Short mmCIF file of all heavy atoms in Angstrom, two decimals:
data_model
loop_
_atom_site.label_atom_id
_atom_site.label_comp_id
_atom_site.label_asym_id
_atom_site.label_seq_id
_atom_site.Cartn_x
_atom_site.Cartn_y
_atom_site.Cartn_z
N LYS B 103 -16.84 11.02 25.58
CA LYS B 103 -15.96 11.94 26.30
C LYS B 103 -14.64 12.16 25.54
O LYS B 103 -14.21 13.29 25.33
CB LYS B 103 -15.66 11.40 27.70
CG LYS B 103 -16.90 11.13 28.54
CD LYS B 103 -16.54 10.56 29.88
CE LYS B 103 -15.90 9.18 29.83
NZ LYS B 103 -16.78 8.12 29.33
N SER B 104 -14.03 11.03 25.14
CA SER B 104 -12.75 11.15 24.44
C SER B 104 -12.91 11.92 23.14
O SER B 104 -12.02 12.69 22.75
CB SER B 104 -12.17 9.77 24.14
OG SER B 104 -11.87 9.10 25.33
N THR B 105 -14.04 11.69 22.48
CA THR B 105 -14.26 12.38 21.21
C THR B 105 -14.32 13.89 21.44
O THR B 105 -13.71 14.66 20.70
CB THR B 105 -15.56 11.88 20.57
OG1 THR B 105 -15.56 10.46 20.59
CG2 THR B 105 -15.68 12.37 19.14
N GLN B 140 -4.07 8.85 27.54
CA GLN B 140 -4.20 7.78 28.52
C GLN B 140 -3.01 6.81 28.45
O GLN B 140 -2.55 6.32 29.46
CB GLN B 140 -5.50 7.00 28.27
CG GLN B 140 -5.64 5.82 29.20
CD GLN B 140 -7.03 5.21 29.17
OE1 GLN B 140 -7.84 5.54 28.33
NE2 GLN B 140 -7.28 4.32 30.10
N ASP B 218 -6.99 12.91 29.16
CA ASP B 218 -7.95 11.84 28.90
C ASP B 218 -7.64 10.66 29.81
O ASP B 218 -6.73 9.89 29.55
CB ASP B 218 -7.88 11.42 27.43
CG ASP B 218 -9.01 10.47 27.06
OD1 ASP B 218 -9.69 9.98 27.98
OD2 ASP B 218 -9.22 10.22 25.87
N GLU B 219 -8.39 10.53 30.86
CA GLU B 219 -8.18 9.46 31.84
C GLU B 219 -6.71 9.22 32.12
O GLU B 219 -6.21 8.13 31.92
CB GLU B 219 -8.80 8.16 31.33
CG GLU B 219 -10.31 8.17 31.35
CD GLU B 219 -10.86 6.80 30.97
OE1 GLU B 219 -10.52 5.84 31.69
OE2 GLU B 219 -11.61 6.71 30.00
N ILE B 250 -10.89 14.06 31.64
CA ILE B 250 -11.86 12.96 31.66
C ILE B 250 -11.47 12.00 32.77
O ILE B 250 -10.28 11.72 32.95
CB ILE B 250 -11.83 12.18 30.34
CG1 ILE B 250 -12.20 13.09 29.18
CG2 ILE B 250 -12.78 10.99 30.40
CD1 ILE B 250 -12.06 12.42 27.85
MG1 MG C 115 -12.35 7.54 26.30
#
Side-chain angles (χ1 to χ4, degrees):
Chain B
K103 304 178 295 295
S104 296
T105 312
Q140 177 168 10
D218 189 348
E219 288 186 58
I250 299 174

